Amino acid sequence: MHLPSSAIYLPHLAYDSVVFGFSGDSLRILIMEYHKTGWFALPGGFVRRDEHLDTAVKRGLKERTALDNIFLRQFHTFGATDRFDAAAMEAIMVANDIDPVANSWLLGRFVTVAYYALIDYKKVTLQPDALSDSVNWYAVGELPPLLFDHEHIVREALRTLRENLGRNLMETNLLPPLFTMKDLQCVYEAILGEPQHRSSFQRKMLASGLLERCEKLLTGAAHKAPYLYRFAPHPRSADE
Amino acid sequence: MHLPSSAIYLPHLAYDSVVFGFSGDSLRILIMEYHKTGWFALPGGFVRRDEHLDTAVKRGLKERTALDNIFLRQFHTFGATDRFDAAAMEAIMVANDIDPVANSWLLGRFVTVAYYALIDYKKVTLQPDALSDSVNWYAVGELPPLLFDHEHIVREALRTLRENLGRNLMETNLLPPLFTMKDLQCVYEAILGEPQHRSSFQRKMLASGLLERCEKLLTGAAHKAPYLYRFAPHPRSADE
DNA sequence: ATACTATTGTCTCACCGTGCGACAATGATA
DNA sequence: TATCATTGTCGCACGGTGAGACAATAGTAT
């Protein structure tokens, strides 16, 4: 079986990614399940010796989601000595017919750099890797128990995402090029986990200078046709 | 000469610390100068194989400042492939009579986890390490040219510090246990780099619920004696 | 064609935080 | 006792925000 080798990868250094998906209503996270163990974990990987850290994470994400140009942010590096569970890792290797002795570098301690990503999960075709049975979406709040310190990592990712929502959303590709104010509000509500007041939300968004209003929307809905908006290529400040 | 060995430290992983100091008026940063090279860099170090990442940073800081219980926050991990300059590193080793061949692990690529710290520089006795002539304070904005990507790291540290000022300041030990509103305002102004309006500042701080007011201050100053404040052990919310 | 319904864009109002200036209180000094 | 510098507080104007109200309108039912 093809396995990462200590010759090409930096030892003791890994990354994990918390991939948030959004599809109109709920916020979910990408979780992978290891072969024959029933264990769940965040998708992660290793960094090649001549590769930019950010590039490694993009590469891993592309392998699993077939998506390029993903919105991706590093948020914390976890370096506790007890965060890694060598026994669990060895069990995973055994379940996958990997020789723990020949690959003992995988049993050592790892410092992991954690990233979060935001993608539209309707656009994704999930692709399990060599070690995993499946990669699936789980609603935040209904996650299975995760290996290592991955639940902690998820909590920190969600906290950071909520703090930075305003600054991030424009680049996330979570919305189509043209969208209604209602669409935008749904994204905010899914991520923040609480309803937003319609009229205040609209006023705030319009005042932010991040949006450009376009033409009308006509699709068959029994009500007034809403405007379409797009993210402004060059966000304007207040005085324009 | 005593030198870190690849047997005790995690390879390819380092930390760098941006130590902000405050002494009543200006904000400064701790910069070290390498022996016989005239080159400046941030104080940093390596992580022992059985050591928590955070612990490694605390250890390094204690060696240089003799301070314990420092306010310390991780803010970013820098993982570009071109961030390290092997030629410069080799020159430093030669200037310090270190054999580059026997210590070639130091010439490879390093991913560095960056932290910032906030300390009161009146309480510090600076202690150069084995590789450095001196450790000194430099005002932000008057830094010497720094090695590697350290200027970039400093900019990011300052940005993060300013964003998180409100949440952090209580734990920084930048102020004595009891302090006046004026003292607090000076800290804010040094860090933010711009003057604050006295009365608004006072109102905002009192409303934050982070402060407790104590008795009067009597020290000889030709004016009304100001109240003394301390940080509330259990910050109260608005409704109390 | 007309009435009705659901949704949307906007307006108003009250409230709160903030920049900014004014004023009184007060400890030290002359 | 008078003066001064600094401090605590108050008032005002302004802008952002939560919350509700109302008119506009595209589709649907009658």
Side-chain angles (χ1 to χ4, degrees):
Chain A
M1 155 169 283
H2 177 66
L3 232 221
S5 136
S6 61
I8 17 179
Y9 293 94
L10 292 177
H12 302 291
L13 185 67
Y15 69 84
D16 284 296
S17 43
V18 182
V19 184
F20 292 101
F22 176 77
S23 163
D25 53 346
S26 67
L27 187 67
R28 305 190 181 194
I29 292 178
L30 215 52
I31 300 288
M32 50 171 279
E33 180 176 1
Y34 283 109
H35 281 311
K36 302 176 194 166
T37 59
W39 290 341
F40 298 87
L42 291 172
F46 307 104
V47 185
R48 290 187 183 148
R49 286 175 178 269
D50 61 348
E51 182 181 42
H52 193 301
L53 174 59
D54 296 343
T55 308
V57 184
K58 280 180 205 156
R59 178 173 51 77
L61 233 48
K62 185 173 180 181
E63 287 168 6
R64 289 191 175 83
T65 64
L67 280 186
D68 232 335
N69 274 34
I70 292 180
F71 175 85
L72 196 60
R73 284 283 182 282
Q74 180 194 310
F75 66 93
H76 196 75
T77 297
F78 296 85
T81 48
D82 60 355
R83 63 170 298 276
F84 211 68
D85 181 342
M89 193 61 187
E90 186 163 354
I92 290 169
M93 294 170 76
V94 170
N96 285 275
D97 292 324
I98 298 167
D99 180 6
V101 177
N103 296 280
S104 62
W105 74 289
L106 284 171
L107 297 177
R109 168 194 181 185
F110 276 84
V111 171
T112 195
V113 188
Y115 286 68
Y116 69 89
L118 274 170
I119 67 181
D120 180 343
Y121 75 34
K122 286 173 299 191
K123 294 180 186 160
V124 175
T125 54
L126 297 179
Q127 180 67 44
D129 65 16
L131 291 173
S132 55
D133 278 323
S134 66
V135 185
N136 274 114
W137 293 107
Y138 290 81
V140 175
E142 296 172 11
L143 300 179
L146 302 181
L147 277 177
F148 312 138
D149 57 351
H150 286 194
E151 297 183 26
H152 179 214
I153 294 178
V154 169
R155 280 195 303 275
E156 288 301 302
L158 194 54
R159 198 177 56 75
T160 312
L161 169 61
R162 285 174 174 160
E163 277 182 4
N164 298 351
L165 185 52
R167 276 172 283 184
N168 288 169
L169 202 55
M170 189 171 54
E171 323 166 41
T172 59
N173 296 334
L174 238 57
L175 289 164
L178 295 179
F179 51 86
T180 67
M181 194 59 77
K182 174 101 181 150
D183 297 333
L184 185 61
Q185 186 174 343
C186 286
V187 174
Y188 266 78
E189 290 178 342
I191 293 176
L192 296 177
E194 55 189 12
Q196 304 292 111
H197 273 269
R198 185 181 64 89
S199 109
S200 303
F201 181 80
Q202 173 133 339
R203 179 161 25 90
K204 200 187 309 182
M205 286 301 126
L206 291 178
S208 75
L210 296 174
L211 299 182
E212 271 180 10
R213 176 179 284 180
C214 313
E215 307 309 312
K216 286 278 194 178
L217 166 82
L218 310 174
T219 73
H223 52 66
K224 178 174 178 177
Y227 284 109
L228 288 175
Y229 299 86
R230 64 170 157 241
F231 289 115
H234 296 298
R236 31 174 224 286
S237 53
D239 48 17
E240 186 180 342
Chain B
M1 156 169 283
H2 177 65
L3 231 222
S5 137
S6 60
I8 9 177
Y9 293 94
L10 292 176
H12 302 291
L13 186 67
Y15 70 83
D16 285 295
S17 43
V18 182
V19 184
F20 292 101
F22 177 76
S23 162
D25 54 346
S26 67
L27 187 68
R28 305 191 180 193
I29 291 178
L30 216 51
I31 300 288
M32 51 172 279
E33 181 175 1
Y34 283 109
H35 281 311
K36 303 176 195 165
T37 59
W39 289 342
F40 298 87
L42 290 171
F46 307 103
V47 184
R48 291 187 183 147
R49 286 175 177 270
D50 61 346
E51 181 181 44
H52 193 301
L53 174 59
D54 295 343
T55 309
V57 185
K58 279 179 207 156
R59 178 174 51 77
L61 233 48
K62 185 173 180 181
E63 287 169 5
R64 289 191 175 84
T65 64
L67 280 185
D68 233 333
N69 274 34
I70 292 180
F71 174 85
L72 195 60
R73 284 283 181 280
Q74 180 193 311
F75 66 94
H76 196 76
T77 297
F78 296 85
T81 48
D82 60 354
R83 63 170 297 278
F84 210 69
D85 181 342
M89 194 59 187
E90 186 163 354
I92 290 170
M93 294 170 75
V94 169
N96 285 275
D97 292 323
I98 299 167
D99 180 5
V101 178
N103 295 280
S104 63
W105 75 288
L106 284 171
L107 297 176
R109 169 193 181 187
F110 276 83
V111 171
T112 194
V113 188
Y115 287 68
Y116 68 88
L118 274 169
I119 66 181
D120 181 342
Y121 74 32
K122 286 173 299 192
K123 295 180 186 160
V124 175
T125 53
L126 297 179
Q127 180 67 43
D129 66 15
L131 289 173
S132 54
D133 277 324
S134 65
V135 186
N136 274 114
W137 293 106
Y138 290 81
V140 175
E142 295 173 12
L143 300 179
L146 301 181
L147 277 177
F148 312 139
D149 57 351
H150 286 193
E151 296 183 25
H152 179 213
I153 294 177
V154 169
R155 279 195 303 274
E156 288 301 301
L158 194 55
R159 199 177 57 75
T160 311
L161 168 62
R162 285 175 175 161
E163 276 181 6
N164 298 350
L165 184 52
R167 275 172 284 185
N168 288 167
L169 201 55
M170 191 171 49
E171 323 165 41
T172 58
N173 296 334
L174 239 57
L175 289 165
L178 296 180
F179 50 87
T180 68
M181 193 59 77
K182 173 99 179 155
D183 297 333
L184 185 60
Q185 185 173 343
C186 286
V187 174
Y188 267 78
E189 291 178 340
I191 293 176
L192 295 177
E194 54 189 13
Q196 304 292 112
H197 273 270
R198 185 181 64 90
S199 109
S200 304
F201 181 80
Q202 172 134 336
R203 180 160 25 90
K204 198 187 311 181
M205 287 301 126
L206 291 178
S208 75
L210 296 175
L211 299 183
E212 271 180 10
R213 177 178 284 179
C214 312
E215 307 309 315
K216 287 279 194 179
L217 167 81
L218 312 173
T219 72
H223 52 66
K224 179 175 178 177
Y227 284 109
L228 287 176
Y229 298 88
R230 64 171 158 240
F231 289 115
H234 295 297
R236 32 172 224 283
S237 53
D239 49 17
E240 187 180 342

